[in-house]
Amino acid sequence: MSKILVTGVTGQLGKAVIELLINKTQKSDLAVLAREASKVEHLNEQGVEIRIGDYNDENSLVSAFAGIDKLYFVSSNDIQNRLQQHQNVINAAKKAGVKHIIYTSFQRKNETPDSPIAFIAESHLKTEQWIKEAGITYTFLQNSIYTDIVPMFLGEQVLETGTVFFPAGDGKVSFALRQDMAEASVAILTSEGHENKSYDFNTEQTVTFQEIADILSEILGKTINYVSPTQEVYIETLSSAGVPMEYVGMFAGFAEAFKQNEFDKTSNTLESLTGKKPVSVSDFLKQVYSSK
């Protein structure tokens, strides 16, 4: 069996992947990367090896990756420093002799600087390029938008205001639940035949934010309206409400990407890898809002 190392286990995706792996494979074949052992001590108690390393420190990663066959590389959430961090990971993986990198990338259509999410896309595109140039066997998981974060786009006050205020127009999005992506990731990590391939991690369903508002209306038994303002009005509204500018820019960028149908792309990949239907946006929203 291959020795698998999972990064990002203090985050939600990496945590879900390692928890699934513990129940599916030998614990002696598993390792996780952490900056502080204390944060993952519960995994060590279950028999998972802890490797200490930091995306900011290439030398620490070389040591951490020693003897690893498959590296489940969760992209950094530090947007400002992500390029250098990812380069450190790839350099270290090559030096350590990692045989296969499974990288959590992103779904896209527009790879140009004109993309409304170019500020996020750049590091993913370069990371894929660097992995190929390093000559390491790869699998790119081109993740769509997590269904889990739909409530963030709807806003904390959506129930009070009765309005989804988000400038996504009538753009269609294929959301996918983080847990479903984790299960598909584990299927790839524990089987062969995925070498030098890219997989779209999305679903066969697309929804608009008008449809999301309609689903909410049905769940709550009251009308939830959808308003798609201009980018300028949206940015001004959020800024006036005290939302930090980095979040305003991120929400606005994703809204424009949705409006441009950047995530209007479907596949049955998750179902084919996991053997079950992914959780739908409707079912997820019922879980979140039915008791509100």
Side-chain angles (χ1 to χ4, degrees):
M1 182 67 183
S2 300
K3 184 77 171 183
I4 299 171
L5 185 142
V6 179
T7 73
V9 293
T10 56
Q12 296 183 65
L13 179 59
K15 178 182 178 182
V17 167
I18 193 61
E19 289 178 348
L20 289 164
L21 281 171
I22 287 172
N23 293 318
K24 191 165 185 177
T25 191
Q26 294 290 327
K27 298 181 183 69
S28 59
D29 293 325
L30 300 176
V32 296
L33 183 74
R35 286 178 292 185
E36 298 176 34
S38 60
K39 292 186 176 181
V40 290
E41 185 59 35
H42 63 289
L43 295 174
N44 191 30
E45 291 170 357
Q46 295 179 70
V48 177
E49 183 182 359
I50 310 301
R51 302 282 186 95
I52 301 300
D54 188 326
Y55 281 5
N56 293 301
D57 181 353
E58 182 179 318
N59 289 331
S60 73
L61 297 174
V62 174
S63 299
F65 295 162
I68 296 301
D69 298 300
K70 293 182 179 181
L71 171 64
Y72 186 75
F73 174 15
V74 177
S75 59
S76 169
N77 60 8
D78 182 354
I79 305 300
Q80 184 175 354
N81 298 303
R82 184 153 68 179
L83 272 173
Q84 183 59 58
Q85 291 176 338
H86 284 195
Q87 197 163 50
N88 291 341
V89 172
I90 297 162
N91 290 344
K94 186 172 183 178
K95 291 177 181 177
V98 170
K99 297 175 182 177
H100 188 172
I101 294 178
I102 297 86
Y103 173 61
T104 63
S105 190
F106 81 122
Q107 179 182 309
R108 73 276 189 168
K109 293 180 181 179
N110 183 357
E111 294 187 353
T112 74
D114 294 330
S115 167
I117 53 171
F119 63 101
I120 288 177
E122 179 190 18
S123 56
H124 285 303
L125 295 173
K126 287 191 174 179
T127 300
E128 290 187 10
Q129 176 189 337
W130 290 335
I131 292 172
K132 289 180 178 180
E133 290 174 351
I136 302 173
T137 298
Y138 65 84
T139 306
F140 296 147
L141 312 181
Q142 296 179 341
N143 294 353
S144 187
I145 304 300
Y146 296 141
T147 309
D148 314 63
I149 65 173
V150 169
M152 288 177 56
F153 296 127
L154 303 183
E156 294 180 357
Q157 303 301 316
V158 63
L159 302 185
E160 288 77 3
T161 64
T163 301
V164 174
F165 184 78
F166 193 60
D170 58 1
K172 297 179 179 180
V173 184
S174 177
F175 292 100
L177 197 69
R178 186 185 282 109
Q179 185 68 22
D180 286 328
M181 293 187 188
E183 291 182 17
S185 298
V186 169
I188 289 172
L189 284 163
T190 56
S191 62
E192 302 302 323
H194 310 289
E195 295 80 7
N196 298 329
K197 292 183 179 180
S198 297
Y199 292 99
D200 284 326
F201 272 13
N202 49 22
T203 68
E204 295 183 279
Q205 175 198 41
T206 61
V207 293
T208 66
F209 274 81
Q210 177 62 66
E211 290 170 334
I212 288 174
D214 293 342
I215 293 168
L216 275 181
S217 298
E218 184 176 346
I219 292 170
L220 298 169
K222 67 177 184 179
T223 300
I224 301 295
N225 297 302
Y226 173 52
V227 175
S228 180
T230 64
Q231 279 273 315
E232 292 75 18
V233 169
Y234 180 73
I235 290 171
E236 181 181 348
T237 301
L238 264 63
S239 300
S240 298
V243 178
M245 281 309 298
E246 65 252 41
Y247 292 109
V248 173
M250 186 176 296
F251 291 154
F254 274 109
E256 185 60 27
F258 297 159
K259 189 175 183 179
Q260 294 181 19
N261 286 309
E262 187 75 4
F263 296 93
D264 178 15
K265 190 177 182 183
T266 61
S267 76
N268 69 345
T269 304
L270 293 178
E271 183 176 358
S272 66
L273 286 168
T274 64
K276 66 184 185 67
K277 285 280 187 185
V279 175
S280 68
V281 171
S282 177
D283 285 345
F284 171 77
L285 292 176
K286 286 176 184 175
Q287 294 172 15
V288 175
Y289 291 102
S290 60
S291 61
K292 300 292 183 180

